[in-house]
């Protein structure tokens, strides 16, 4: 036996296959990149093809449930993190039917698929399941959505809990960080406005606990296999949009005088906006989730 050539790969277990839905999205792209260290990653996109070397990509329309089920059965992933969504509250308010198809029905199908096969499943929900009147919100707080987006996420959460009690439902805060090649967060728009010398009106009466996108990706990957039920993945700092803007301008070397205070009531938008949906994320912190501070996250964003 000793003289026989050894198969160097024989002892290395094959990586399991993780399906990330919404790989072309802001979070999904960062998540695929982070997941590649430990998983063989499969990603879905709909309209935008994301450059993701090493990730197997699939074009999927999550409104076509009849096609989705057989496709999933054939793909047979070992786990799923579901980030595909109609994620803009204003669009959900304007097109509740599409919001329901994407945010509720597609989630139901994925939860059913994973639940019936006992596969790890993580669903990305939102801090917008709360009305913003009683922050900070923990996992024990009772949902009180005020928008179509929030209501549909609450409905999807309930379905996930019923169909797959071992799944994890991560309620995400406002996310920021470097853009993906196919998706941006609000930060890039803010920076463009200031670079153009234009004023930026930001709410002094809207509070969030923002988190750096790569930290949330790491939190999701950990949560997928290590916990179940509701989990808040908020950042460590509670601040207003206005204060966030001031810190962003300072970090990016842009003119802070262009940041002007505004109030939610000054701007009419299709979706009602909760005033303060700051998260209490002590449960996640206790599990080892360590999102960086806003200042550290902005510095990391400015470097990319
Ligand atoms: N970003 C935040 O601040 C934030 C905060 C709280 C919670 N969340 C939640 O986190 C998750 C990810 O958010 P995100 O900001 O990364 O979203 P995003 O950038 O808007 O990306 C949405 C993803 O969904 C895909 N998609 C849209 N319509 C589809 C369809 N008909 N069929 C299949 N795929 C479709 C998009 O594909 P194409 O681009 O290829 O069309 C894209 O990959 C969502 O569940 C969101 O609700 C986000």
């Amino acid at each position: 036996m000793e003289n026989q050539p050894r198969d160097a790969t024989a002892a290395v277990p094959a990586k399991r296959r993780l399906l990330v839905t919404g790989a072309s999205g802001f979070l999904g792209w960062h998540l695929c990149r982070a997941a590649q260290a430990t998983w063989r990653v499969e990603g879905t996109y709909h309209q935008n093809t994301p450059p993701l070397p090493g990730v197997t990509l699939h074009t999927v329309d999550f409104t076509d449930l009849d096609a989705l089920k057989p496709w999933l059965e054939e793909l047979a992933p070992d786990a799923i993190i579901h980030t595909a969504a109609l994620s803009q509250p204003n669009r959900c308010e304007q097109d509740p039917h599409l919001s329901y198809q994407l945010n509720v029905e597609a989630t139901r199908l994925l939860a059913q698929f994973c639940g019936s096969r006992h596969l790890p499943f993580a669903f990305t929900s939102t801090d917008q399941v709360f009305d913003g009147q009683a922050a900070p919100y923990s996992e024990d707080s009772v949902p009180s959505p005020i928008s179509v987006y929030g209501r549909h996420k609450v409905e999807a959460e309930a379905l996930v809990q019923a169909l797959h009690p071992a799944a994890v439902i991560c309620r995400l805060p406002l996310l920021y960080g470097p853009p993906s090649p196919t998706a941006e967060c609000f930060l890039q728009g803010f920076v463009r406005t200031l670079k153009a010398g234009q004023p930026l009106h930001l709410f002094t009466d809207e509070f969030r606990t923002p988190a750096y996108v790569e930290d949330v990706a790491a939190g999701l990957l950990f949560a997928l296999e290590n916990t179940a039920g509701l989990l808040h993945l908020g950042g460590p700092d509670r601040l207003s949009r206005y204060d966030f803007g001031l810190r962003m301008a300072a970090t990016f070397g842009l003119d802070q005088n262009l940041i002007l205070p505004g109030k939610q009531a000054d701007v009419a938008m299709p979706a009602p906006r909760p005033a303060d949906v700051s998260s209490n994320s002590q449960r996640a912190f206790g599990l080892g989730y360590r999102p960086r501070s806003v200042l550290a996250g902005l510095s990391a964003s400015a470097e990319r």
Side-chain angles (χ1 to χ4, degrees):
M1 288 291 283
E2 276 177 13
N3 290 334
Q4 287 180 3
R6 285 179 53 206
D7 178 356
T9 60
V12 181
K15 280 186 185 171
R16 289 172 303 149
R17 289 161 62 243
L18 172 67
L19 175 64
V20 175
T21 70
S24 49
F26 176 61
L27 171 62
W29 184 82
H30 288 282
L31 180 61
C32 283
R33 300 220 323 164
Q36 282 178 284
T38 41
W39 295 87
R40 216 174 104 196
V41 182
E42 313 260 350
T44 73
Y45 66 97
H46 182 225
Q47 290 183 317
N48 302 294
T49 316
L52 275 168
V55 173
T56 307
L57 292 169
H58 309 265
T59 324
V60 177
D61 181 355
F62 278 110
T63 64
D64 185 357
L65 298 185
D66 291 342
L68 187 57
K69 198 162 175 241
W71 173 77
L72 266 180
E73 279 163 5
E74 195 181 335
L75 187 72
D78 297 308
I80 300 180
I81 301 182
H82 181 35
T83 79
L86 192 64
S87 67
Q88 300 89 353
N90 287 338
R91 285 197 62 200
C92 296
E93 210 73 21
Q94 289 163 328
D95 194 343
H97 178 67
L98 181 62
S99 170
Y100 197 81
Q101 284 184 301
L102 278 173
N103 293 335
V104 181
E105 293 291 2
T107 306
R108 181 209 304 268
L109 194 144
L110 293 169
Q112 212 153 27
F113 177 86
C114 290
S116 59
R117 290 163 181 77
H118 307 287
L119 301 178
F121 179 60
F123 170 54
T124 51
S125 188
T126 172
D127 53 13
Q128 309 259 337
V129 298
F130 299 112
D131 64 8
Q133 299 301 311
Y137 293 98
S138 76
E139 291 82 355
D140 295 331
S141 305
V142 178
S144 48
I146 58 171
S147 66
V148 169
Y149 174 65
R151 279 196 291 279
H152 286 172
K153 286 288 192 180
V154 170
E155 204 169 321
E157 287 184 354
L159 285 167
V160 172
Q161 283 175 314
L163 294 165
H164 192 356
V168 64
I169 295 164
C170 295
R171 290 195 182 130
L172 310 184
L174 184 66
L175 305 179
Y176 70 97
S180 82
T182 46
E184 295 185 335
C185 69
F186 65 97
L187 195 57
Q188 284 74 47
F190 282 11
V191 169
R192 271 196 298 274
T193 302
L194 296 190
K195 280 191 172 163
Q198 303 289 322
L200 192 55
H201 297 265
L202 295 177
F203 300 136
T204 53
D205 58 352
E206 186 176 299
F207 293 85
R208 299 288 184 264
T209 38
Y212 187 67
V213 65
E214 291 180 358
D215 297 335
V216 170
L220 275 167
L221 287 166
F222 177 84
L224 175 70
E225 296 202 279
N226 292 288
T227 190
L230 295 168
L231 189 68
H232 287 190
L233 294 180
D237 304 315
R238 171 186 177 271
L239 72 178
S240 69
R241 294 252 182 191
Y242 176 74
D243 283 330
F244 187 97
L246 289 178
R247 288 182 205 192
M248 179 206 70
T251 310
F252 280 73
L254 298 165
D255 186 357
Q256 284 181 291
N257 294 318
L258 289 172
I259 311 248
L260 304 177
K263 299 267 183 203
Q264 278 189 335
D266 299 341
V267 185
M269 277 169 289
R273 298 172 70 96
D276 184 352
V277 285
S278 301
S279 297
N280 170 341
S281 301
Q282 289 305 322
R283 182 175 171 234
F285 298 157
L287 293 170
Y289 173 58
R290 293 280 177 274
R292 69 199 73 185
S293 68
V294 164
L295 280 181
L298 285 170
S299 299
S301 306
E303 285 163 12
R304 305 266 290 269

